[in-house]
Amino acid sequence: MSTNMPRVVQDMLRREQSRFDVLHPKSKASFQEGQAHYLYGAPSHWMRRWAGGFPLTARSARGARLHCVDGIDYADFCLGDTGAMCGHGPEAVTRAVSEQLGRGATLMLPTEDAQWVGTELSRRFGLPYWGFTTSASDANRAAIRIARIITGREKVLVFNGCYHGSVEEAHVALQDGEMVMRNGIHPNAVDHARVSKVVDFNDVPALEAALVSQDVACVLAEPFMTNYGMVAPDPGYLDALQEIARRTGTLLAIDETHTFSSGPGGYTAEHGLKPDFFVVGKAVGGGIPVGLYGMSQSVAEAMWRAVPKVNPTEVRQSAHLGFGGTLAGSALQVAAVRAVLENVLTIDAFAHMTRLAGDLAAKMRQVIAKHGLPWYVAHLGARVETMYAPDAPRDARDVARGRDGPLESLLHVYFMNRGVLITPFHSMLLMCPSTDESDTQRYLDVLNSFCEDLQGEVRSEALKARSASAP
Ligand SMILES: Cc1ncc(COP(=O)(O)O)c(C=O)c1O
């Protein structure tokens, strides 16, 4: 890479940000008004993270397209950071949810759909017992709580660079071998030294050393890291993880909130994993807030020993598990999950999304190679990501070495200015069942023009510098 690249990137970023301003006056005004009512100008703090300096105000979204109040149409590869992996407004979910709203959204009673959904969850994801929550964060917290109940251990082990939602134990990272708070997150009066352990992904000796002391209730892991740059497990790594966990009496919670995009049964089914807990959220509700935690027969039995299962001859059961969720398992959630699993995220839909993502990844690699840029493209199921280093990372430290904040911001805003949305905190592209070649072609065209513009700017900077230094 040229030495004048950082300056070129900064200059282009400034220009693209002013262009973003000019293109989106209504969105900008709306974000400014939002400052009066919202902590971060919009209903969620994540929404302030878009590279243009303010989020678009959306008017509508359908399938893989989104339309903003400034009248611009986008190919949406952000898809609500996976919450909309079914596509926006999937017909089957809209119908099922609308009908259920009319029949009662939340009843503190099961509905008839519950039996179909329970059977399908076990069939798809391979674990026999399930519970609903209203978010993946909550489902992770439920799994951790149950792991502690049945192991009597306090600690949770996570991987450096992970993200599992608002799970206190997972807000940690490794810095020079020491555990620190991730992204400077406030510790929230939690004694992380007591409740957390963190090791690098793909580091078997570190994992062994952390679990051999038998004080970890569960490992909470994505099977293929997605949240700090996509990091694949080394061949055999997940076998080692499962073996060490089993040998040390540590439970394994696989969080498939993002890796569900690997296939109809998530990464677990695709790769024959045998976790103790399986967590999924976001996409599985088709836009309705849902988290799910599944558990194995032996975990369920251990839990029932600690917190007995209701005896059908008793009228009530007084013990509860210590986590709430009044709307968890609501009729609306169950109807939405049924529609998603039965009609939207089907085997055929995954085949389409995976083929499209694979083609896109291959074409992105061609564009990048054509321009001689040292970038790597990762692909997993319906998900693709560009990373700004030449080789596949093996852990978060490799990702950090390849990170280039200004370049990533520039790419995001450059793409938005040309009608392509990418999740603001990733360079990940996600396909939904209605994403098609016109969307991926739009992305590729913009990627190509980005590479040309970037290299054109680098060349003209170099020429300027040469003529300035000429005698
Ligand atoms: C792997 C993983 N787990 C859990 C979560 C938390 O999901 P939610 O925000 O729905 O609680 C996320 C969110 O991005 C995630 O990526």
Side-chain angles (χ1 to χ4, degrees):
M1 276 261 204
S2 155
T3 49
N4 59 13
M5 181 71 100
R7 209 181 58 240
V8 165
V9 166
Q10 288 295 354
D11 289 348
M12 281 178 78
L13 180 57
R14 263 191 300 278
R15 282 203 301 277
E16 290 297 329
Q17 280 173 330
S18 357
R19 180 170 171 177
F20 186 80
D21 250 42
V22 173
L23 287 173
H24 304 100
K26 290 188 182 157
S27 291
K28 185 173 186 182
S30 163
F31 188 61
Q32 276 164 350
E33 278 174 41
Q35 306 294 328
H37 312 292
Y38 292 110
L39 288 169
Y40 296 101
S44 153
H45 66 86
W46 297 114
M47 295 174 184
R48 79 196 152 129
R49 299 279 295 269
W50 292 87
F54 54 89
L56 303 173
T57 298
R59 173 155 289 152
S60 62
R62 188 98 189 131
R65 293 290 170 102
L66 184 144
H67 202 70
C68 77
V69 289
D70 291 292
I72 303 172
D73 168 68
Y74 296 87
D76 184 4
F77 293 99
C78 165
L79 294 170
D81 191 24
T82 305
M85 190 170 83
C86 292
H88 300 293
E91 230 176 276
V93 178
T94 307
R95 196 178 335 108
V97 162
S98 313
E99 284 173 13
Q100 192 61 54
L101 270 173
R103 291 198 298 265
T106 187
L107 316 163
M108 199 50 76
L109 289 168
T111 51
E112 286 163 297
D113 283 338
Q115 302 318 323
W116 189 95
V117 168
T119 306
E120 177 63 4
L121 291 173
S122 299
R123 191 193 68 77
R124 271 206 189 209
F125 301 123
L127 288 158
Y129 296 105
W130 292 86
F132 269 74
T133 61
T134 48
S135 68
S137 298
D138 251 359
N140 280 328
R141 283 194 290 258
I144 290 171
R145 192 171 180 93
I146 294 166
R148 285 182 171 138
I149 291 174
I150 65 183
T151 61
R153 301 176 183 179
E154 266 185 306
K155 291 189 194 292
V156 174
L157 182 138
V158 294
F159 290 104
N160 191 25
C162 73
Y163 178 71
H164 295 286
S166 22
V167 171
E168 297 289 356
E169 293 83 350
H171 290 329
V172 291
L174 270 184
Q175 204 172 66
D176 304 324
E178 296 295 315
M179 187 166 72
V180 296
M181 295 307 294
R182 187 168 51 82
N183 288 344
I185 294 175
H186 188 279
N188 197 27
V190 173
D191 182 358
H192 287 88
R194 182 168 157 184
V195 299
S196 303
K197 283 191 183 182
V198 55
V199 296
D200 274 314
F201 198 59
N202 282 326
D203 184 344
V204 176
L207 182 68
E208 172 92 42
L211 296 188
V212 79
S213 46
Q214 304 201 349
D215 54 355
V216 174
C218 73
V219 172
L220 175 60
E222 286 190 281
F224 187 123
M225 295 187 78
T226 67
N227 274 299
Y228 189 65
M230 284 168 64
V231 182
D234 284 349
Y237 181 68
L238 295 176
D239 293 334
L241 168 60
Q242 295 184 109
E243 188 279 316
I244 299 169
R246 212 164 293 129
R247 173 159 46 82
T248 56
T250 312
L251 298 174
L252 176 60
I254 292 288
D255 178 354
E256 295 250 22
T257 303
H258 275 181
T259 51
F260 181 22
S261 59
S262 308
Y267 195 94
T268 292
E270 293 289 309
H271 297 269
L273 305 183
K274 296 269 173 261
D276 299 292
F277 297 98
F278 179 109
V279 166
V280 67
K282 299 202 193 193
V284 78
I288 299 297
V290 176
L292 286 160
Y293 56 97
M295 68 190 76
S296 66
Q297 185 73 33
S298 60
V299 167
E301 284 171 10
M303 194 188 75
W304 292 324
R305 280 195 292 280
V307 184
K309 194 178 184 185
V310 66
N311 174 350
T313 59
E314 284 174 16
V315 180
R316 283 168 185 246
Q317 184 196 33
S318 61
H320 71 79
L321 292 164
F323 41 85
T326 306
L327 274 73
S330 71
L332 199 65
Q333 285 187 323
V334 174
V337 173
R338 176 169 186 162
V340 168
L341 298 181
E342 193 169 20
N343 299 309
V344 185
L345 293 181
T346 57
I347 292 175
D348 288 351
F350 271 105
H352 164 74
M353 289 147 69
T354 300
R355 184 193 56 73
L356 205 59
D359 284 355
L360 176 60
K363 288 179 180 153
M364 284 162 71
R365 290 183 192 116
Q366 284 167 10
V367 172
I368 289 167
K370 182 176 93 181
H371 293 280
L373 288 160
W375 298 345
Y376 171 78
V377 176
H379 168 224
L380 175 70
R383 213 176 271 283
V384 180
E385 181 167 30
T386 324
M387 295 159 97
Y388 307 99
D391 301 314
R394 288 190 60 244
D395 58 29
R397 285 178 303 161
D398 285 347
V399 177
R401 277 194 286 274
R403 275 234 122 122
D404 184 335
L407 177 67
E408 290 174 48
S409 297
L410 169 60
L411 262 153
H412 278 86
V413 68
Y414 187 100
F415 274 95
M416 280 194 289
N417 284 341
R418 290 153 186 84
V420 176
L421 285 188
I422 306 168
T423 310
F425 18 85
H426 302 288
S427 292
M428 242 165 16
L429 308 169
L430 182 64
M431 317 295 124
C432 70
S434 20
T435 309
D436 62 24
E437 270 85 8
S438 69
D439 302 303
T440 54
Q441 193 53 50
R442 188 188 289 197
Y443 175 85
L444 287 165
D445 290 344
V446 180
L447 179 66
N448 197 46
S449 78
F450 176 78
C451 295
E452 275 167 11
D453 284 359
L454 185 69
Q455 298 207 309
E457 297 274 339
V458 167
R459 271 193 302 274
S460 80
E461 274 291 314
L463 275 178
K464 267 194 256 160
R466 227 172 295 146
S467 55
S469 65

